Amino acid sequence: PLVSDLYPLAIVSSFLVHHYFPVVRQVLGMSAIFKALVIVFYEVTRAYVVVALTSAAGNAIPASTFSFPVFGPIICGAIAGCGGVFLPLNKGLDPIKSGLQAPMLTALIGAAAFHIFMNTWLSEGVVDAKAKCHIHMAVFFICIGEISAFGLTADAQAAAKSKSKSKKA
């Protein structure tokens, strides 16, 4: 089941805007502020999807070996947060042949951290634990999204290479 009926409408709207108004993509490439804002909106939505589907899977899958289902909800949340990287389904596992991309890895980390936090003693006594965990996941997704989009790095050699490439262009 879909998390929200607005999600397919947002996807269709996004397709229509990109298909019939390609200038929006050009503006996204030219304006760092607009690009950063779009990344924030996308990552907040992705965090919502990961939290919702990890929670739903945790409620639907029965516990077996442990006191709560461990791997099923994490896998469901991770796949939900991949952003359709495996679509269309005829691509198989090609998207992960060269390793996990940042959205896949962050979705896996986010789903695992959320699920383990919510189902263990770590969340005991935390007021509004689910909401706080959701906010932390969204901030984590936003930070990684911005770092990936703008090529930010703590590696001095990689930064120097990035600067020399931008000067040549």
Side-chain angles (χ1 to χ4, degrees):
L2 292 171
V3 176
S4 171
D5 289 334
L6 290 177
Y7 206 56
L9 293 175
I11 292 169
V12 169
S13 299
S14 176
F15 168 76
L16 292 174
V17 167
H18 284 285
H19 186 70
Y20 292 109
F21 303 104
V23 69
V24 173
R25 263 182 288 159
Q26 294 169 350
V27 170
L28 185 66
M30 293 186 313
S31 172
I33 294 171
F34 185 58
K35 186 176 189 177
L37 189 62
V38 168
I39 290 169
V40 168
F41 291 151
Y42 173 74
E43 297 298 350
V44 166
T45 303
R46 195 165 72 94
Y48 171 76
V49 171
V50 171
V51 166
L53 291 180
T54 304
S55 297
N59 293 333
I61 298 172
S64 58
T65 305
F66 303 103
S67 61
F68 61 95
V70 178
F71 297 106
I74 292 171
I75 291 169
C76 289
I79 291 172
C82 284
V85 75
F86 295 105
L87 297 175
L89 295 175
N90 65 356
K91 291 193 317 189
L93 296 177
D94 286 345
I96 60 173
K97 279 187 178 175
S98 62
L100 292 178
Q101 298 170 7
M104 294 179 213
L105 188 57
T106 57
L108 179 62
I109 292 168
F114 173 80
H115 186 63
I116 291 169
F117 176 78
M118 291 303 298
N119 290 290
T120 61
W121 58 269
L122 295 169
S123 63
E124 288 178 12
V126 177
V127 178
D128 294 328
K130 185 175 180 180
K132 289 178 181 175
C133 195
H134 184 174
I135 289 170
H136 280 87
M137 185 186 307
V139 169
F140 171 63
F141 285 1
I142 290 167
C143 290
I144 299 299
E146 299 288 355
I147 288 168
S148 297
F150 293 106
L152 304 175
T153 181
D155 182 8
Q157 291 176 345
K161 287 180 186 177
S162 176
K163 283 185 180 179
S164 66
K165 286 182 183 177
S166 65
K167 288 180 182 179
K168 291 179 183 177

